Amino acid sequence: MTDRAQELLDRAHTLALTYPRSSGGSPPRGYRAFRRSLRVSADAADFDRAVEMLRTWEVHRGAGLTVVADGPARAGSHVVVGIGPRPFTLLAPCRVVEDVDDPTRNGFAYGTLPGHPERGEERFVVEKRPGEGVFFEITAFSRPATAPARLGGPLTRLVQDRVTTRYLHALRAAVSGS
């Protein structure tokens, strides 16, 4: 997996995104959109730790994905995530297309590159809410990019929903140390 992933990562900077960038906050026409969030800590002091776990791809690793990245998640960086056992690992190359970086909200959005089974964008944001704690929100819009993803229909959406749930719980576990 790592040789194939590394090859994709090495080419990623030359590839164009596989979807139209959205403006105004709404997804492009024909894309499925969703939003999920979870309180990962009741203590706002855990914000910095949560951001560190997110930016270093530990959330993705904690969700059970393999990760080959060219550095921390920052605008312009690239990552190839893998899901599934060898030799059937499905690789998904992405480019970080946006940073969110202010005192109470931090995270990034990445977009799909050729070779990803979906087309679209996913945003991961950690938010510190005074008196409420630390929340992790994931928003995304996507549609199938490959024949197997199209044929997978509801199964493809189920996998996406399960991975999203695993991201949310991975950050909560990482912040709590369990």
Side-chain angles (χ1 to χ4, degrees):
M1 194 307 274
T2 54
D3 289 343
R4 286 180 33 228
Q6 189 61 52
E7 287 173 23
L8 277 172
L9 186 65
D10 291 344
R11 291 188 307 124
H13 70 282
T14 66
L15 302 174
L17 295 170
T18 60
Y19 67 99
R21 287 295 316 270
S22 177
S23 63
S26 38
R29 187 178 181 94
Y31 284 73
R32 172 185 179 253
F34 71 87
R35 176 182 310 260
R36 302 261 311 273
S37 68
L38 180 72
R39 185 169 81 165
V40 296
S41 174
D43 188 351
D46 288 329
F47 177 75
D48 291 337
R49 178 169 168 72
V51 169
E52 176 70 15
M53 300 308 286
L54 179 62
R55 292 286 188 165
T56 59
W57 305 107
E58 290 307 311
V59 169
H60 288 66
R61 289 182 184 95
L65 304 178
T66 55
V67 176
V68 178
D70 60 7
R74 291 281 176 203
S77 64
H78 297 88
V79 64
V80 177
V81 295
I83 186 169
R86 288 183 190 201
F88 307 108
T89 304
L90 184 64
L91 298 178
C94 298
R95 174 177 301 128
V96 178
V97 295
E98 186 178 342
D99 278 318
V100 175
D101 194 358
D102 66 53
T104 60
R105 297 179 73 241
N106 197 296
F108 63 92
Y110 61 35
T112 58
L113 296 172
H116 197 295
E118 296 280 321
R119 294 172 195 232
E121 192 171 290
E122 199 160 19
R123 177 184 307 272
F124 305 87
V125 176
V126 175
E127 182 177 6
K128 178 173 34 176
R129 298 180 190 168
E132 296 182 57
V134 178
F135 289 76
F136 183 28
E137 181 176 85
I138 300 171
T139 57
F141 61 85
S142 65
R143 72 178 191 194
T146 64
R150 280 189 295 281
L151 292 171
L155 180 60
T156 301
R157 287 189 295 279
L158 177 66
V159 169
Q160 186 179 38
D161 290 343
R162 284 193 79 168
V163 170
T164 299
T165 298
R166 287 166 42 186
Y167 289 146
L168 293 166
H169 292 283
L171 185 56
R172 183 165 57 188
V175 169
S176 72
S178 60

